[in-house]
Amino acid sequence: MSVKAFAAKLFAKRIHAKTQKWVHNPIETQQKVFQELINEAAQTQFGKDHNFSSIKNHSNFVQKVPVRDYEGLKHYVDKVLKGEENVLWKGKPLYFAKTSGTTSGAKYIPLTKESMPFHIQAARNAILSYIHETGKAAFVSGKMIFLQGSPILEEKNGIKLGRLSGIVAHFVPKYLQKNRMPSWETNCIEDWETKVNAIVEETIKENMTVISGIPSWVQMYFEKLKEKANKPVGEIFKNFNLFIYGGVNYEPYRAKFENLIGRKVDSIELFPASEGFFAYQDSQKEKGMLLLLNSGIFYEFIKADEFFTEHPKRYTIGEVELGVNYVLIISTNAGLWAYNIGDTIQFTSLKPYRVIVSGRIKHYISAFGEHVIGKEVESALKEAMEETDVRVNEFTVAPQITPTEGLPYHEWFIEFENEPTNLEDFALKIDAAMRKQNVYYDDLIAGNVLRTLVITKVPKNGFQEYMKSIGKLGGQNKLPRLSNDRKIAQFFEIKE
């Protein structure tokens, strides 16, 4: 065992012990975070506007601070962008993470001196949890790659801004600098396809042990590696045994990845966002990711099926239940208050609190009242693929409300790596799995309101072309699994 691996094991043990202190005191931990946030921001403009000085408990907070999305906070953010201090949080942010908005154009999410360390610590602690549980640490001596956005930052009124992954690149610890790939110059390439080709050239002869990124874009990297070397990724990188990912569910990609790699590798799931680092997979044996209750974030949860009612109840950590679909609401030490990040989660465990990401509150299909969410379509596809050699590169689902003939249906746009021998039978398998999961969908099929779903095959690299057409190829961008309209579908209809 190398000195580096031995030190990593010792460090992992220490961090695990530290983590367990708040894991075993979740409600008290969240109460402490809540009080600290309110106290620290009491003299900010937002704190004064919402009378933070009179807030003593969660009920007061609910009365004084409504749930908002980015549009609801935008007039405050705009003041910070203009250079004003003490608006949402004390002083000025260190950075703005610039993200793509749907209705508001670019979104600028503040990152502060207080919030930034938690982004770095959470990513580190995810790896340390893996080392502590498995005892595997040899990988720390090899090369690690993090497929991410460009670290080149702009500046706006004295505050630097860029993609979150690019900002984080500036905080790689010194002890990882020599292990980290790609080179700074390659990481700064803006065009994604050019960048991936350059990464392939830089890494193909290296001892890569850890690879990290959003699965859809890591898949592109793996495909180019395999094409260039004419052998599986696992043979190119004989010591590659750990894949770290976030942003989307890995399960629809797992079979394809194992084929590209040529063997199974361990994986760690992360739940990061520009607004905060919320959870990471702390166990290879348990389902879900550990919700980070001690990271400067106070969490509230609204049941997804109540979210659009007039006054939905806002639950705290001690009130949540297993298996319920919740909209995640956060208040943070970056100055986001009762902020709806748009993600929905479900708890898989309450001791400790572990979650899975079930979808997006805006990414659903309910054109007929079926309330279909991302987790359901991903699970249905996975079930249909079991015990077959069918492999899927990417997919999305949209409603077809006005078909040229017959009943309406859900249209599944699927880019296959290995096609099923009988497409209709495969569609029936997915449909049956959907009906088992979603009683509303089952009722609509049984009542002849909808007919069985229809699969439309997408040509190879079709989804990459779509993402490129909307300027979202690569980086942290993700294809929506579900749409309640046919904007994505129209791209493929035009292509036909």
Side-chain angles (χ1 to χ4, degrees):
M1 185 188 298
S2 70
V3 173
K4 203 168 188 178
F6 180 71
K9 283 190 171 187
L10 289 178
F11 191 31
K13 185 178 181 180
R14 184 157 67 87
I15 293 300
H16 175 76
K18 193 175 178 182
T19 301
Q20 292 310 297
K21 289 180 181 177
W22 63 258
V23 163
H24 291 301
N25 295 284
I27 295 169
E28 295 87 342
T29 297
Q30 273 287 275
Q31 182 57 36
K32 184 181 177 186
V33 169
F34 172 75
Q35 212 58 59
E36 286 174 353
L37 291 175
I38 297 300
N39 292 344
E40 288 291 322
Q43 298 307 311
T44 63
Q45 185 178 326
F46 188 93
K48 291 174 181 176
D49 289 349
H50 295 81
N51 202 8
F52 272 22
S53 59
S54 70
I55 293 176
K56 306 301 179 190
N57 53 44
H58 179 243
S59 295
N60 297 156
F61 185 70
V62 169
Q63 290 166 3
K64 297 181 185 303
V65 185
V67 171
R68 295 176 169 97
D69 57 11
Y70 184 79
E71 285 298 307
L73 273 185
K74 190 173 182 297
H75 67 288
Y76 285 104
V77 176
D78 286 345
K79 291 182 178 184
V80 186
L81 281 166
K82 289 175 184 174
E84 290 187 33
E85 296 187 10
N86 304 313
V87 178
L88 286 164
W89 190 253
K90 56 189 181 182
K92 287 185 180 183
L94 288 180
Y95 301 94
F96 278 109
K98 187 178 179 181
T99 70
S100 301
T102 49
T103 57
S104 56
K107 296 195 294 184
Y108 297 90
I109 307 298
L111 298 166
T112 63
K113 181 178 69 175
E114 290 78 14
S115 72
M116 198 64 222
F118 288 112
H119 285 272
I120 312 307
Q121 287 173 23
R124 179 201 70 188
N125 290 355
I127 297 173
L128 292 173
S129 287
Y130 172 82
I131 291 172
H132 179 78
E133 182 186 52
T134 65
K136 298 174 183 177
F139 65 85
V140 301
S141 300
K143 297 285 187 179
M144 306 178 186
I145 189 168
F146 302 93
L147 292 178
Q148 56 193 186
S150 170
I152 296 174
L153 304 178
E154 303 170 51
E155 196 166 295
K156 206 173 184 75
N157 292 319
I159 302 171
K160 292 180 179 178
L161 63 94
R163 298 284 180 184
L164 175 67
S165 60
I167 293 169
V168 168
H170 291 263
F171 288 84
V172 175
K174 287 183 179 178
Y175 60 84
L176 283 181
Q177 291 286 6
K178 289 181 181 178
N179 301 64
R180 165 196 176 183
M181 297 200 78
S183 66
W184 188 265
E185 293 72 25
T186 295
N187 221 6
C188 291
I189 297 172
E190 288 289 347
D191 180 74
W192 187 252
E193 289 170 294
T194 306
K195 182 173 185 169
V196 173
N197 286 331
I199 292 172
V200 168
E201 293 297 329
E202 278 193 5
T203 58
I204 198 164
K205 293 182 180 177
E206 296 287 348
N207 176 30
M208 304 302 302
T209 56
V210 178
I211 294 171
S212 175
I214 290 177
S216 49
W217 307 124
V218 174
Q219 179 178 309
M220 182 193 287
Y221 168 57
F222 282 174
E223 286 170 340
K224 288 180 181 291
L225 277 168
K226 190 174 181 181
E227 184 182 348
K228 186 171 180 64
N230 199 28
K231 56 185 177 183
V233 173
E235 287 185 30
I236 302 169
F237 304 139
K238 295 188 185 299
N239 296 315
F240 165 48
N241 281 301
L242 183 59
F243 173 50
I244 304 173
Y245 67 95
V248 298
N249 184 4
Y250 181 39
E251 289 310 317
Y253 299 94
R254 191 177 292 275
K256 176 67 190 288
F257 267 57
E258 288 175 0
N259 178 258
L260 285 167
I261 297 165
R263 54 184 164 82
K264 293 185 177 183
V265 299
D266 286 350
S267 60
I268 302 174
E269 183 176 8
L270 311 178
F271 184 11
S274 300
E275 296 87 350
F277 202 124
F278 308 121
Y280 61 73
Q281 183 181 348
D282 67 320
S283 174
Q284 295 290 300
K285 300 168 189 172
E286 304 295 335
K287 184 180 180 183
M289 296 173 282
L290 183 69
L291 188 65
L292 304 180
L293 304 176
N294 193 35
S295 299
I297 301 170
F298 176 71
Y299 298 96
E300 297 174 276
F301 311 90
I302 297 175
K303 291 180 180 178
D305 58 6
E306 298 175 1
F307 184 74
F308 294 105
T309 60
E310 192 172 352
H311 296 293
K313 180 172 170 56
R314 290 155 62 175
Y315 297 90
T316 57
I317 194 67
E319 302 171 298
V320 297
E321 304 168 59
L322 292 173
V324 175
N325 207 35
Y326 291 104
V327 180
L328 187 61
I329 308 299
I330 60 167
S331 297
T332 78
N333 55 7
L336 301 177
W337 300 102
Y339 186 86
N340 170 23
I341 65 167
D343 285 320
T344 58
I345 56 102
Q346 291 179 6
F347 285 89
T348 59
S349 164
L350 302 182
K351 287 185 177 182
Y353 287 95
R354 291 195 181 100
V355 299
I356 57 169
V357 180
S358 53
R360 299 277 294 167
I361 192 63
K362 291 182 180 178
H363 292 171
Y364 61 90
I365 297 179
S366 200
F368 309 92
E370 59 271 49
H371 309 296
V372 170
I373 62 173
K375 176 179 174 289
E376 291 169 345
V377 295
E378 289 171 341
S379 296
L381 181 62
K382 181 188 175 188
E383 188 173 324
M385 289 167 62
E386 284 172 358
E387 298 177 8
T388 74
D389 62 353
V390 175
R391 288 196 295 274
V392 169
N393 286 340
E394 191 59 277
F395 78 99
T396 192
V397 187
Q400 176 49 274
I401 300 171
T402 55
T404 52
E405 56 180 329
L407 293 171
Y409 54 87
H410 284 187
E411 188 169 8
W412 287 58
F413 293 85
I414 303 179
E415 183 184 324
F416 289 102
E417 173 72 14
N418 279 7
E419 288 185 26
T421 50
N422 187 313
L423 200 62
E424 288 186 7
D425 283 351
F426 190 66
L428 286 171
K429 284 183 180 179
I430 299 175
D431 207 67
M434 281 297 305
R435 294 180 70 172
K436 277 192 295 183
Q437 291 186 89
N438 188 308
V439 66
Y440 304 109
Y441 182 74
D442 183 52
D443 287 344
L444 290 166
I445 298 283
N448 289 320
V449 177
L450 291 179
R451 64 180 163 110
T452 302
L453 65 86
V454 173
I455 294 175
T456 296
K457 290 191 289 185
V458 172
K460 185 171 174 58
N461 298 325
F463 285 110
Q464 286 182 20
E465 287 182 28
Y466 167 72
M467 295 297 278
K468 192 173 185 178
S469 75
I470 61 170
K472 293 189 176 183
L473 183 66
Q476 304 305 110
N477 298 306
K478 296 159 281 191
L479 177 77
R481 285 282 180 251
L482 293 163
S483 306
N484 206 37
D485 55 42
R486 291 187 63 80
K487 287 178 183 174
I488 299 175
Q490 285 165 3
F491 176 83
F492 297 106
E493 289 171 348
I494 293 166
K495 297 288 282 187
E496 289 175 6

